[in-house]
Amino acid sequence: MIELKYFTEGDIPKLISWIDSPEFLLQWSGTGFTYPLTHQQLIKYLGEANKEDSEIQAFKVIHVESSKVIGHISLGSINPHNRNARMCRVLIGDEEMKGKGLAPIMVNKLLNIAFVQFGLHKVSLAVYDFNTSALKLYQKMGFRTEGLIREASRIGNDFWSYHEMSILDREWSSALNGNGRENLGKFDGD
């Protein structure tokens, strides 16, 4: 259905086209980028990503049947010593692909990379408290809420709060219950 491949410079224009407001940029990337999202910002991001010792592994999401790039997801703050990382920049940007149940597959594929290929122990994430569909998805997939970080991000005159969530390798394995692994595949880097 979908596969993850490394995000490349050729994918930059499509990603930029999906980010249409300061609010959406903040929701997608936290404070990692500034609006408007530019080619230069993403080149810098790529310069720090997708190498053997990188703290960032950035992926485009490809819909296999159509070969279209439909989204983005990354694993950041990779810490091999503590065996943890953060899932971030999760996006299905293609309007035709939203609401088709692809988000859990995309997240599971990234968790497979984190836990199986990188041998990590914990993957955490931050999700804004108003993003109830994402909160429900992550809870259903086995993520646990570690806390609410109150009014931590400023957008205009408003402050947004976010939930800090995480999943451990054993919780992910248990949540899969042996089902769904055949759809994960192995990431080969291309």
Side-chain angles (χ1 to χ4, degrees), residues 5-9 11-12 15-16 25 28-29 32-34 37-51 54-60 71-78 86-91 110:
K5 292 197 175 201
Y6 276 140
F7 181 77
T8 67
E9 187 173 353
D11 303 311
I12 289 175
L15 181 57
I16 288 173
L25 178 65
W28 173 69
S29 72
F33 296 103
T34 57
L37 185 60
T38 64
H39 191 87
Q40 292 78 15
Q41 289 179 75
L42 290 171
I43 287 292
K44 183 176 184 230
Y45 170 60
L46 272 174
E48 299 168 357
N50 301 344
K51 298 178 185 88
S54 293
E55 290 184 12
I56 301 168
Q57 299 291 309
F59 304 98
K60 59 186 164 192
H72 183 278
I73 192 167
S74 66
L75 193 63
S77 303
I78 299 170
R86 291 185 69 78
M87 183 175 71
C88 47
R89 300 186 176 113
V90 179
L91 171 66
L110 187 77

Side-chain angles (χ1 to χ4, degrees), residues 18-166:
W18 291 330
I19 309 297
D20 61 1
S21 70
E23 293 81 6
F24 191 72
L25 178 65
L26 182 61
Q27 188 173 349
W28 173 69
S29 72
T31 57
F33 296 103
T34 57
Y35 190 81
L37 185 60
T38 64
H39 191 87
Q40 292 78 15
Q41 289 179 75
L42 290 171
I43 287 292
K44 183 176 184 230
Y45 170 60
L46 272 174
E48 299 168 357
N50 301 344
K51 298 178 185 88
E52 189 174 323
D53 60 347
S54 293
E55 290 184 12
I56 301 168
Q57 299 291 309
F59 304 98
K60 59 186 164 192
V61 181
I62 300 170
H63 182 252
V64 175
E65 290 176 24
S66 67
S67 300
K68 287 185 358 181
V69 175
I70 63 163
H72 183 278
I73 192 167
S74 66
L75 193 63
S77 303
I78 299 170
N79 183 318
H81 176 75
N82 290 321
R83 294 179 46 214
N84 60 40
R86 291 185 69 78
M87 183 175 71
C88 47
R89 300 186 176 113
V90 179
L91 171 66
I92 295 178
D94 186 303
E95 290 296 325
E96 294 176 7
M97 296 296 164
K98 290 181 179 180
K100 295 188 182 271
L102 299 176
I105 298 168
M106 181 171 72
V107 170
N108 261 332
K109 285 184 178 287
L110 187 77
L111 292 175
N112 186 62
I113 292 166
F115 293 133
V116 176
Q117 292 184 241
F118 288 129
L120 299 179
H121 173 65
K122 179 180 179 177
V123 173
S124 61
L125 62 84
V127 59
Y128 288 107
D129 62 348
F130 58 81
N131 192 348
T132 55
S133 60
L135 280 166
K136 287 177 186 174
L137 168 71
Y138 298 139
Q139 289 166 343
K140 184 177 179 181
M141 295 186 74
F143 282 84
R144 296 184 185 181
T145 301
E146 294 186 348
L148 177 68
I149 312 303
R150 300 177 335 142
E151 299 187 6
S153 298
R154 185 173 149 246
I155 186 79
N157 292 324
D158 294 326
F159 290 90
W160 291 356
S161 301
Y162 65 87
H163 292 275
E164 186 67 27
M165 302 180 81
S166 70

